[in-house]
Amino acid sequence: MDINDNIDSPLELKISFNKLIEEYEALSNSEDAFTSNRANYILQLARDYPELRDGFSDVSVLETRKDVIKTILQDSFSPILTKNEIKTASVPFHNFIFNSSTRFNSILKTAGEDFQLQMKNMPEDDVYIISCTIILNFCYGFNLSFKRPFYYEIPDADGILRFYKILYNADFCEIIPKENAIEITQSDYDELLDNFENIELWKKKFPPNSYVFKGFVISNIFDVTDDQSISNIKTSLIGDKKRQDDEFSGEFHDVFRSLFGISDLKVGFSIYNQDEGFFERVYGSGMNSYLIGDKASKTCSDALCNSSYDRLLRESKFISISDVEGMFNNNEVPPPHIKSLYSQGVKSAIFAPIANEEGLMGIIEIVSGTPKVLNSINANKLIDVMPFIVSAVERTKSEEENLVEAIIQQECTSIHPSVKWRFAKEAKNFIKAELHGQKPSFKKIAFDNVYPLFGQIDIKGSSIARNTATKRDLTLQLSAARSLFEKASKKDALPIFEQLIYQINEYLADLNKNFQVDSEQQISAFLNEDIEPVFRHVRASYELKEEIDQYFESINEKGNTFYFHRKDYDDSIIKINREMTSLLDEKQLDAQAMYPHFFERFKTDGVEHNMYIGESITKEDSFNPIFLYNLRLWQLQVMCEMENAYYQKQSEWPVQLDVASMILVFNQPLSISFRMDEKQFDVDGTYNARYEIVKKRVDKAFIKGTNKRVTEKGKITIVYSQKQDEREYLGYVKFLQSKNYLDTDIEIVELEDLQAVTGLKAIRVSVLYHKAEDDKEYYTYDDLMKEIKA
């Protein structure tokens, strides 16, 4: 077997002791008799076995000359230090070892017969190029450094990975060009500097086997498990998506096991919530807390005894429990953290505070199922690790705060992406002013010459539906109260029972005849102040406990009244709004892709939306009126689709309600600005305010000369004031009729004058519906209702 077999390299490898023997030639003239005699003895061996100097690649020579090689290397591998030093002799960049210290052999033996020694940080694909860089240094004097730390990872008797760093001594190597070697020039070198990954170029400059490597390297190996464990912990903590990564937890446990040398070691975390004064678990893959066990959180007093609390929270020092079971058994009332550890089978533990200048942020919990292996002595290993853990927790805390802020902004005070650039620009100016010592102020955010679009899908008769639900709940509660008093009267005919029954009947009659705005409040007060105190007396004395308990269980805590029919109504409104906003948000993605514009929506008894489009919002010289027309057509089409989606799901909601859709057209550009106090955009200027007035009142407007609202279920209403708007939208309607979105019953009506607003008109046209998304039939609203009820 030849050591060059199956190796693609510019170097033909030969094991040679020539450079070492040259050192002995110098030592042979030493004035020290022992040194010179020893050197002459080595030189005689070299003369007797010339292949050791000339070099060889046949592996069998290592076996036949084993004793001679051992003698030559004896000074480099001292017998006195062989049990302590970790040392090998080998050829570079290959796991081919021909001489090693006793300790190295012992480490490999402990690793097991199946263990394959493999150098880490040595990518196989780069070995050829690395060999070329060595040739550049040795043969051409180019100072090209490619030094990287190389490691062995070798398991110990407990299966824990230990890390060994390899340091090469290359004093006994020489590289000699062969006939097929190509002379490397400065221009070649310059070209190679920018082409590390171009293997073909390197092979062109350094053909395979064009140089001879003669010699060997001595590897001095050091156990750096602690240093590497700390580095791995740091790397793990720096990594992104820690909690979501299924492998993170296992790897994190492994590096701590290597650091402490304990095979059954586990790591837990608990976060300290300073505002609430309790510890809570860290949610994520494999993240446990041994301090709080299987609970989501624990108060500090429930988690720790007083002395442990002081040490961890006040002094920021770790606590160790080397014998959990012994402490549990030796205390009549074990401390809470001991009880928690004992119940989880933990036998020894260390709790270390994760704290910075602002105070405690959390606890890292190191535990083991073996007693005494974790203690106050090896707890000091955490000292070098804690700064990285503190930094990671600070970063995670900051990320969480940013995420919370982002969610709050998204859900509560969202800044639409189309205008975010303007806010970012002003924020940067704010920061710059502050850095220059100026008094910064956040300037007004405004956009001029933008075209507004407004639409709404409104729930018709929502007030009537809610009043009906309220009446039904109050009727139900009054009837239940009357029934209980009638049963109580049979046991004891007290006049108070008869009087309360009379009042209840008066309220029931009034509910059916004349439900007023304050009726709910009056009846609620009567039930709370007059009825409930009597029920508490009756409950204890009249054998009506179960029935009265059931009455109280039916009462909604927030409103102190029955909440059945109103819950159905409220749930329906919530579901309607959720479905409509979800569809509108989904469709908006397509609209933004056509041309960026500002968009916002609001949930009321239905869903309203505002859009503004114009040059000042897009920040680019790209706006054209065609984008406005396109957005108007898109809006009309989406309103039709929302109507369809609504009625396809109407049967799924507890209360069957109807909707009516409206679009307001405003053909003049206006200005909008961000109101810092209200955290939203609003129109600027007196003239522009007319638009807001119309927006708020128009859906309640009547058709001129009638008592009929302009908005109607089953129809789309388009409100406008200019003839050109009428022509534009009639064109859109005609197009959508061709696509079977709208019916042919177009009507144009005038609106009664609103306060300070006259001359409004409206196009009204019926929507065509499908019973389901895959239904190809088209129905008017009336036909659809007949089909649904059939």
Side-chain angles (χ1 to χ4, degrees):
M1 174 184 171
D2 194 287
I3 59 174
N4 293 292
D5 289 346
N6 302 316
I7 293 176
D8 184 22
S9 173
L11 298 171
E12 179 188 344
L13 300 174
K14 287 189 176 183
I15 298 172
S16 168
F17 302 96
N18 179 55
K19 299 292 284 184
L20 179 62
I21 292 168
E22 287 179 354
E23 293 295 327
Y24 280 111
E25 286 176 340
L27 292 173
S28 64
N29 297 318
S30 173
E31 295 180 359
D32 182 76
F34 177 82
T35 301
S36 62
N37 289 338
R38 169 73 179 161
N40 284 313
Y41 177 71
I42 298 297
L43 293 173
Q44 184 57 50
L45 289 174
R47 286 190 288 271
D48 294 341
Y49 304 102
E51 67 271 24
L52 300 182
R53 191 161 201 165
D54 296 338
F56 58 89
S57 58
D58 187 346
V59 176
S60 63
V61 176
L62 291 171
E63 182 61 31
T64 57
R65 300 288 181 257
K66 180 172 64 176
D67 293 337
V68 177
I69 292 172
K70 188 173 183 180
T71 301
I72 292 175
L73 293 175
Q74 193 174 60
D75 288 339
S76 302
F77 289 78
S78 169
I80 302 298
L81 302 176
T82 189
K83 293 181 181 179
N84 181 270
E85 290 184 333
I86 311 173
K87 206 169 190 179
T88 67
S90 62
V91 291
F93 309 126
H94 296 283
N95 294 311
F96 184 77
I97 295 169
F98 56 83
N99 198 70
S100 54
S101 66
T102 301
R103 186 177 174 194
F104 181 81
N105 293 332
S106 175
I107 290 169
L108 289 186
K109 184 178 180 181
T110 301
E113 295 180 1
D114 296 335
F115 176 73
Q116 296 291 323
L117 188 66
Q118 186 70 39
M119 190 182 298
K120 298 294 178 182
N121 275 18
M122 175 53 71
E124 293 183 11
D125 295 343
D126 294 342
V127 170
Y128 196 103
I129 296 173
I130 293 170
S131 299
C132 294
T133 63
I134 293 170
I135 294 170
L136 286 170
N137 287 340
F138 263 85
C139 298
Y140 298 100
F142 290 113
N143 186 20
L144 192 63
S145 175
F146 190 79
K147 290 184 178 179
R148 297 181 64 197
F150 298 121
Y151 295 90
Y152 289 132
E153 291 180 5
I154 306 174
D156 65 12
D158 295 321
I160 297 171
L161 274 184
R162 301 198 67 81
F163 301 91
Y164 299 91
K165 187 174 184 178
I166 306 164
L167 296 180
Y168 280 127
N169 181 337
D171 290 347
F172 309 115
C173 305
E174 52 188 323
I175 296 176
I176 306 162
K178 295 169 68 173
E179 290 183 0
N180 61 332
I182 299 172
E183 182 75 18
I184 301 299
T185 64
Q186 181 67 45
S187 62
D188 292 327
Y189 173 74
D190 294 341
E191 183 180 6
L192 292 167
L193 285 178
D194 294 323
N195 287 279
F196 177 80
E197 295 180 353
N198 188 346
I199 185 65
E200 296 304 320
L201 178 63
W202 288 90
K203 285 189 173 183
K204 179 181 177 182
K205 307 290 186 184
F206 300 90
N209 298 318
S210 55
Y211 294 80
V212 175
F213 171 90
K214 284 181 62 177
F216 68 99
V217 292
I218 294 176
S219 300
N220 293 288
I221 304 169
F222 302 92
D223 187 337
V224 292
T225 301
D226 285 359
D227 292 340
Q228 188 62 32
S229 296
I230 292 170
S231 176
N232 288 347
I233 289 169
K234 181 180 178 182
T235 301
S236 299
L237 292 170
I238 289 172
D240 291 333
K241 298 182 180 177
K242 300 184 288 299
R243 298 181 193 176
Q244 290 75 24
D245 190 344
D246 290 337
E247 296 180 2
F248 170 74
S249 178
E251 293 175 355
F252 201 61
H253 285 72
D254 285 342
V255 293
F256 268 95
R257 286 169 189 150
S258 294
L259 178 64
F260 280 88
I262 300 171
S263 59
D264 69 343
L265 183 144
K266 295 178 182 177
V267 183
F269 290 96
S270 52
I271 295 297
Y272 176 57
N273 186 325
Q274 186 175 9
D275 294 334
E276 303 292 338
F278 57 70
F279 293 107
E280 57 190 12
R281 66 170 56 253
V282 178
Y283 287 97
S285 177
M287 289 296 179
N288 296 320
S289 173
Y290 301 94
L291 180 63
I292 61 179
D294 58 358
K295 296 184 181 299
S297 63
K298 271 187 183 180
T299 63
C300 296
S301 58
D302 288 339
L304 296 166
C305 64
N306 290 338
S307 60
S308 298
Y309 175 90
D310 288 341
R311 188 167 176 84
L312 282 171
L313 274 73
R314 298 184 190 278
E315 301 175 28
S316 293
K317 295 180 179 178
F318 62 75
I319 60 173
S320 63
I321 308 100
S322 62
D323 187 0
V324 172
E325 188 172 7
M327 185 169 284
F328 181 85
N329 293 329
N330 292 332
N331 282 273
E332 187 174 337
V333 181
H337 60 291
I338 300 299
K339 288 171 65 177
S340 179
L341 293 173
Y342 182 80
S343 67
Q344 297 172 79
V346 174
K347 298 297 178 65
S348 59
I350 298 168
F351 291 158
I354 306 169
N356 59 12
E357 294 177 355
E358 297 177 3
L360 185 72
M361 295 181 289
I363 305 290
I364 183 169
E365 310 154 2
I366 316 294
V367 302
S368 169
T370 308
K372 309 291 178 69
V373 294
L374 291 169
N375 48 66
S376 64
I377 296 172
N378 61 10
N380 288 282
K381 285 179 175 284
L382 289 173
I383 292 173
D384 296 324
V385 175
M386 291 310 296
F388 305 125
I389 295 176
V390 169
S391 296
V393 172
E394 286 176 332
R395 188 182 63 153
T396 301
K397 190 176 179 182
S398 177
E399 289 172 353
E400 187 173 287
E401 288 171 354
N402 291 339
L403 181 60
V404 168
E405 186 66 29
I407 290 171
I408 291 172
Q409 186 184 86
Q410 177 180 326
E411 298 298 323
C412 307
T413 57
S414 177
I415 296 174
H416 194 263
S418 63
V419 296
K420 193 172 182 179
W421 66 270
R422 184 66 183 83
F423 286 85
K425 179 181 179 181
E426 190 54 44
K428 289 176 182 177
N429 291 336
F430 187 96
I431 293 169
K432 287 178 183 177
E434 197 169 40
L435 289 174
H436 285 90
Q438 301 169 6
K439 189 175 181 180
S441 62
F442 205 89
K443 295 180 181 178
K444 180 180 177 180
I445 305 292
F447 297 95
D448 298 324
N449 294 315
V450 294
Y451 291 88
L453 295 90
F454 173 77
Q456 69 175 34
I457 181 165
D458 188 45
I459 297 172
K460 298 295 288 182
S462 58
S463 298
I464 295 173
R466 194 189 189 289
N467 286 342
T468 300
T470 302
K471 285 169 60 177
R472 294 175 70 182
D473 277 340
L474 292 174
T475 300
L476 192 64
Q477 187 170 358
L478 288 167
S479 299
R482 182 177 62 185
S483 175
L484 287 169
F485 283 128
E486 287 172 347
K487 290 180 181 180
S489 294
K490 291 178 181 178
K491 295 184 178 295
D492 192 354
L494 294 177
I496 187 65
F497 295 158
E498 186 178 352
Q499 190 265 337
L500 289 172
I501 291 171
Y502 169 78
Q503 284 186 263
I504 288 171
N505 287 334
E506 286 287 305
Y507 278 120
L508 284 170
D510 196 47
L511 271 177
N512 291 326
K513 292 178 183 177
N514 188 26
F515 185 76
Q516 301 291 330
V517 175
D518 62 345
S519 296
E520 180 180 0
Q521 185 178 355
Q522 289 179 7
I523 294 172
S524 296
F526 168 68
L527 290 166
N528 295 336
E529 297 168 12
D530 297 347
I531 298 293
E532 289 187 13
V534 180
F535 274 169
R536 291 190 179 93
H537 167 71
V538 171
R539 182 182 179 276
S541 310
Y542 289 81
E543 299 178 3
L544 295 171
K545 179 180 180 300
E546 288 186 10
E547 291 172 81
I548 290 176
D549 285 347
Q550 186 175 355
Y551 172 91
F552 281 113
E553 286 172 5
S554 300
I555 292 175
N556 175 259
E557 291 182 8
K558 187 176 180 181
N560 291 318
T561 56
F562 280 15
Y563 184 64
F564 298 115
H565 297 289
R566 278 173 295 176
K567 184 178 186 304
D568 286 343
Y569 171 81
D570 290 342
D571 286 348
S572 296
I573 296 295
I574 290 169
K575 290 176 180 178
I576 290 167
N577 285 344
R578 185 183 299 132
E579 287 289 337
M580 294 300 99
T581 55
S582 176
L583 176 60
L584 186 57
D585 290 346
E586 181 183 338
K587 296 292 183 181
Q588 246 292 301
L589 297 176
D590 297 332
Q592 290 292 340
M594 298 175 200
Y595 191 81
H597 57 277
F598 177 82
F599 169 80
E600 62 183 353
R601 56 164 172 76
F602 307 96
K603 297 177 185 177
T604 53
D605 281 353
V607 178
E608 299 178 357
H609 66 269
N610 286 321
M611 294 183 288
Y612 299 100
I613 186 169
E615 189 72 58
S616 60
I617 288 177
T618 56
K619 191 177 63 167
E620 299 171 1
D621 185 16
S622 61
F623 179 72
N624 188 290
I626 193 172
F627 296 120
L628 170 62
Y629 305 145
N630 184 72
L631 191 60
R632 284 175 172 172
L633 175 58
W634 170 89
Q635 181 188 36
L636 181 57
Q637 180 172 318
V638 167
M639 295 293 282
C640 295
E641 292 173 5
M642 289 174 71
E643 283 260 354
N644 259 282
Y646 175 85
Y647 282 107
Q648 285 166 14
K649 288 185 174 289
Q650 186 194 46
S651 60
E652 301 175 12
W653 297 320
V655 179
Q656 309 299 301
L657 299 165
D658 285 307
V659 294
S661 298
M662 184 202 74
I663 289 171
L664 174 62
V665 184
F666 197 77
N667 67 350
Q668 295 296 317
L670 46 72
S671 297
I672 59 172
S673 63
F674 189 76
R675 292 175 61 94
M676 293 295 181
D677 51 348
E678 297 181 7
K679 304 300 182 192
Q680 67 179 37
F681 278 96
D682 206 349
V683 296
D684 262 350
T686 305
Y687 174 76
N688 293 335
R690 178 174 178 270
Y691 171 72
E692 288 293 331
I693 293 171
V694 176
K695 220 168 60 171
K696 291 173 182 175
R697 297 175 182 172
V698 70
D699 65 320
K700 302 294 190 295
F702 292 98
I703 297 173
K704 182 172 281 191
T706 73
N707 59 356
K708 192 176 181 180
R709 287 273 178 86
V710 69
T711 57
E712 184 179 338
K713 62 187 179 185
K715 291 179 181 287
I716 291 278
T717 300
I718 305 163
V719 178
Y720 61 95
S721 62
Q722 302 295 323
K723 190 66 178 178
Q724 66 191 68
D725 299 330
E726 181 182 299
R727 288 194 296 269
E728 180 184 341
Y729 273 87
L730 286 175
Y732 300 152
V733 168
K734 187 175 181 181
F735 170 70
L736 292 178
Q737 286 172 335
S738 71
K739 296 184 68 176
N740 292 311
Y741 276 86
L742 296 171
D743 204 356
T744 57
D745 59 338
I746 299 173
E747 58 177 331
I748 298 174
V749 298
E750 293 184 35
L751 273 63
E752 293 282 0
D753 293 344
L754 300 175
Q755 182 180 349
V757 179
T758 60
L760 292 178
K761 299 176 73 174
I763 299 169
R764 305 201 320 161
V765 59
S766 295
V767 179
L768 291 178
Y769 299 95
H770 313 276
K771 285 193 294 184
E773 288 186 17
D774 56 353
D775 185 12
K776 301 301 181 185
E777 296 296 323
Y778 302 97
Y779 304 88
T780 64
Y781 172 82
D782 291 334
D783 291 338
L784 181 68
M785 292 299 108
K786 289 176 185 176
E787 285 288 326
I788 291 173
K789 293 173 182 176

PDB file of all heavy atoms in Angstrom, residues 22-35:
ATOM      1  N   GLU A  22      19.609  15.750   9.754  1.00  0.00           N
ATOM      2  CA  GLU A  22      20.506  16.895   9.616  1.00  0.00           C
ATOM      3  C   GLU A  22      20.718  17.599  10.954  1.00  0.00           C
ATOM      4  O   GLU A  22      21.811  18.125  11.237  1.00  0.00           O
ATOM      5  CB  GLU A  22      19.944  17.877   8.581  1.00  0.00           C
ATOM      6  CG  GLU A  22      20.060  17.389   7.143  1.00  0.00           C
ATOM      7  CD  GLU A  22      19.477  18.374   6.151  1.00  0.00           C
ATOM      8  OE1 GLU A  22      18.875  19.387   6.594  1.00  0.00           O
ATOM      9  OE2 GLU A  22      19.601  18.151   4.921  1.00  0.00           O
ATOM     10  N   GLU A  23      19.692  17.635  11.773  1.00  0.00           N
ATOM     11  CA  GLU A  23      19.825  18.215  13.116  1.00  0.00           C
ATOM     12  C   GLU A  23      20.815  17.399  13.947  1.00  0.00           C
ATOM     13  O   GLU A  23      21.625  17.955  14.706  1.00  0.00           O
ATOM     14  CB  GLU A  23      18.456  18.261  13.817  1.00  0.00           C
ATOM     15  CG  GLU A  23      17.450  19.209  13.187  1.00  0.00           C
ATOM     16  CD  GLU A  23      17.892  20.653  13.300  1.00  0.00           C
ATOM     17  OE1 GLU A  23      18.548  21.025  14.291  1.00  0.00           O
ATOM     18  OE2 GLU A  23      17.589  21.433  12.357  1.00  0.00           O
ATOM     19  N   TYR A  24      20.749  16.087  13.788  1.00  0.00           N
ATOM     20  CA  TYR A  24      21.679  15.240  14.531  1.00  0.00           C
ATOM     21  C   TYR A  24      23.115  15.391  14.014  1.00  0.00           C
ATOM     22  O   TYR A  24      24.089  15.238  14.761  1.00  0.00           O
ATOM     23  CB  TYR A  24      21.246  13.765  14.471  1.00  0.00           C
ATOM     24  CG  TYR A  24      20.130  13.459  15.455  1.00  0.00           C
ATOM     25  CD1 TYR A  24      18.842  13.167  15.009  1.00  0.00           C
ATOM     26  CD2 TYR A  24      20.376  13.473  16.829  1.00  0.00           C
ATOM     27  CE1 TYR A  24      17.825  12.898  15.894  1.00  0.00           C
ATOM     28  CE2 TYR A  24      19.356  13.206  17.735  1.00  0.00           C
ATOM     29  CZ  TYR A  24      18.082  12.923  17.261  1.00  0.00           C
ATOM     30  OH  TYR A  24      17.088  12.659  18.150  1.00  0.00           O
ATOM     31  N   GLU A  25      23.267  15.690  12.722  1.00  0.00           N
ATOM     32  CA  GLU A  25      24.610  15.950  12.186  1.00  0.00           C
ATOM     33  C   GLU A  25      25.235  17.149  12.896  1.00  0.00           C
ATOM     34  O   GLU A  25      26.437  17.148  13.223  1.00  0.00           O
ATOM     35  CB  GLU A  25      24.528  16.214  10.679  1.00  0.00           C
ATOM     36  CG  GLU A  25      24.272  14.941   9.866  1.00  0.00           C
ATOM     37  CD  GLU A  25      24.103  15.200   8.380  1.00  0.00           C
ATOM     38  OE1 GLU A  25      23.800  16.371   8.013  1.00  0.00           O
ATOM     39  OE2 GLU A  25      24.258  14.261   7.595  1.00  0.00           O
ATOM     40  N   ALA A  26      24.416  18.179  13.146  1.00  0.00           N
ATOM     41  CA  ALA A  26      24.925  19.354  13.863  1.00  0.00           C
ATOM     42  C   ALA A  26      25.252  18.999  15.305  1.00  0.00           C
ATOM     43  O   ALA A  26      26.247  19.480  15.874  1.00  0.00           O
ATOM     44  CB  ALA A  26      23.889  20.475  13.809  1.00  0.00           C
ATOM     45  N   LEU A  27      24.447  18.137  15.915  1.00  0.00           N
ATOM     46  CA  LEU A  27      24.658  17.761  17.317  1.00  0.00           C
ATOM     47  C   LEU A  27      25.841  16.811  17.504  1.00  0.00           C
ATOM     48  O   LEU A  27      26.370  16.680  18.621  1.00  0.00           O
ATOM     49  CB  LEU A  27      23.388  17.103  17.891  1.00  0.00           C
ATOM     50  CG  LEU A  27      22.156  18.026  18.063  1.00  0.00           C
ATOM     51  CD1 LEU A  27      20.932  17.200  18.472  1.00  0.00           C
ATOM     52  CD2 LEU A  27      22.442  19.106  19.105  1.00  0.00           C
ATOM     53  N   SER A  28      26.283  16.158  16.425  1.00  0.00           N
ATOM     54  CA  SER A  28      27.380  15.172  16.549  1.00  0.00           C
ATOM     55  C   SER A  28      28.696  15.836  16.941  1.00  0.00           C
ATOM     56  O   SER A  28      29.611  15.181  17.436  1.00  0.00           O
ATOM     57  CB  SER A  28      27.555  14.407  15.231  1.00  0.00           C
ATOM     58  OG  SER A  28      27.967  15.296  14.194  1.00  0.00           O
ATOM     59  N   ASN A  29      28.791  17.136  16.729  1.00  0.00           N
ATOM     60  CA  ASN A  29      30.015  17.868  17.092  1.00  0.00           C
ATOM     61  C   ASN A  29      29.877  18.577  18.440  1.00  0.00           C
ATOM     62  O   ASN A  29      30.688  19.431  18.786  1.00  0.00           O
ATOM     63  CB  ASN A  29      30.333  18.896  16.003  1.00  0.00           C
ATOM     64  CG  ASN A  29      30.614  18.237  14.660  1.00  0.00           C
ATOM     65  OD1 ASN A  29      31.304  17.214  14.605  1.00  0.00           O
ATOM     66  ND2 ASN A  29      30.078  18.813  13.579  1.00  0.00           N
ATOM     67  N   SER A  30      28.842  18.241  19.170  1.00  0.00           N
ATOM     68  CA  SER A  30      28.612  18.883  20.462  1.00  0.00           C
ATOM     69  C   SER A  30      29.740  18.563  21.440  1.00  0.00           C
ATOM     70  O   SER A  30      30.320  17.473  21.421  1.00  0.00           O
ATOM     71  CB  SER A  30      27.277  18.412  21.052  1.00  0.00           C
ATOM     72  OG  SER A  30      27.112  18.899  22.351  1.00  0.00           O
ATOM     73  N   GLU A  31      30.050  19.531  22.318  1.00  0.00           N
ATOM     74  CA  GLU A  31      31.070  19.310  23.352  1.00  0.00           C
ATOM     75  C   GLU A  31      30.555  18.369  24.439  1.00  0.00           C
ATOM     76  O   GLU A  31      31.347  17.799  25.195  1.00  0.00           O
ATOM     77  CB  GLU A  31      31.464  20.656  23.964  1.00  0.00           C
ATOM     78  CG  GLU A  31      32.158  21.584  22.977  1.00  0.00           C
ATOM     79  CD  GLU A  31      32.543  22.903  23.609  1.00  0.00           C
ATOM     80  OE1 GLU A  31      32.241  23.087  24.823  1.00  0.00           O
ATOM     81  OE2 GLU A  31      33.123  23.745  22.903  1.00  0.00           O
ATOM     82  N   ASP A  32      29.221  18.240  24.529  1.00  0.00           N
ATOM     83  CA  ASP A  32      28.648  17.313  25.509  1.00  0.00           C
ATOM     84  C   ASP A  32      28.756  15.894  24.965  1.00  0.00           C
ATOM     85  O   ASP A  32      28.209  15.587  23.891  1.00  0.00           O
ATOM     86  CB  ASP A  32      27.177  17.684  25.752  1.00  0.00           C
ATOM     87  CG  ASP A  32      26.533  16.787  26.794  1.00  0.00           C
ATOM     88  OD1 ASP A  32      26.798  16.984  27.984  1.00  0.00           O
ATOM     89  OD2 ASP A  32      25.765  15.870  26.384  1.00  0.00           O
ATOM     90  N   ALA A  33      29.481  15.057  25.683  1.00  0.00           N
ATOM     91  CA  ALA A  33      29.787  13.703  25.204  1.00  0.00           C
ATOM     92  C   ALA A  33      28.507  12.897  24.969  1.00  0.00           C
ATOM     93  O   ALA A  33      28.383  12.164  23.965  1.00  0.00           O
ATOM     94  CB  ALA A  33      30.700  12.984  26.203  1.00  0.00           C
ATOM     95  N   PHE A  34      27.541  13.004  25.918  1.00  0.00           N
ATOM     96  CA  PHE A  34      26.306  12.222  25.788  1.00  0.00           C
ATOM     97  C   PHE A  34      25.553  12.626  24.533  1.00  0.00           C
ATOM     98  O   PHE A  34      25.089  11.784  23.770  1.00  0.00           O
ATOM     99  CB  PHE A  34      25.429  12.414  27.032  1.00  0.00           C
ATOM    100  CG  PHE A  34      24.107  11.712  26.943  1.00  0.00           C
ATOM    101  CD1 PHE A  34      24.025  10.353  27.237  1.00  0.00           C
ATOM    102  CD2 PHE A  34      22.956  12.373  26.530  1.00  0.00           C
ATOM    103  CE1 PHE A  34      22.805   9.695  27.141  1.00  0.00           C
ATOM    104  CE2 PHE A  34      21.753  11.725  26.433  1.00  0.00           C
ATOM    105  CZ  PHE A  34      21.669  10.379  26.741  1.00  0.00           C
ATOM    106  N   THR A  35      25.464  13.948  24.315  1.00  0.00           N
ATOM    107  CA  THR A  35      24.729  14.450  23.156  1.00  0.00           C
ATOM    108  C   THR A  35      25.378  14.011  21.855  1.00  0.00           C
ATOM    109  O   THR A  35      24.707  13.565  20.921  1.00  0.00           O
ATOM    110  CB  THR A  35      24.638  15.990  23.207  1.00  0.00           C
ATOM    111  OG1 THR A  35      23.983  16.386  24.421  1.00  0.00           O
ATOM    112  CG2 THR A  35      23.877  16.548  22.015  1.00  0.00           C
TER     113      THR A  35
END
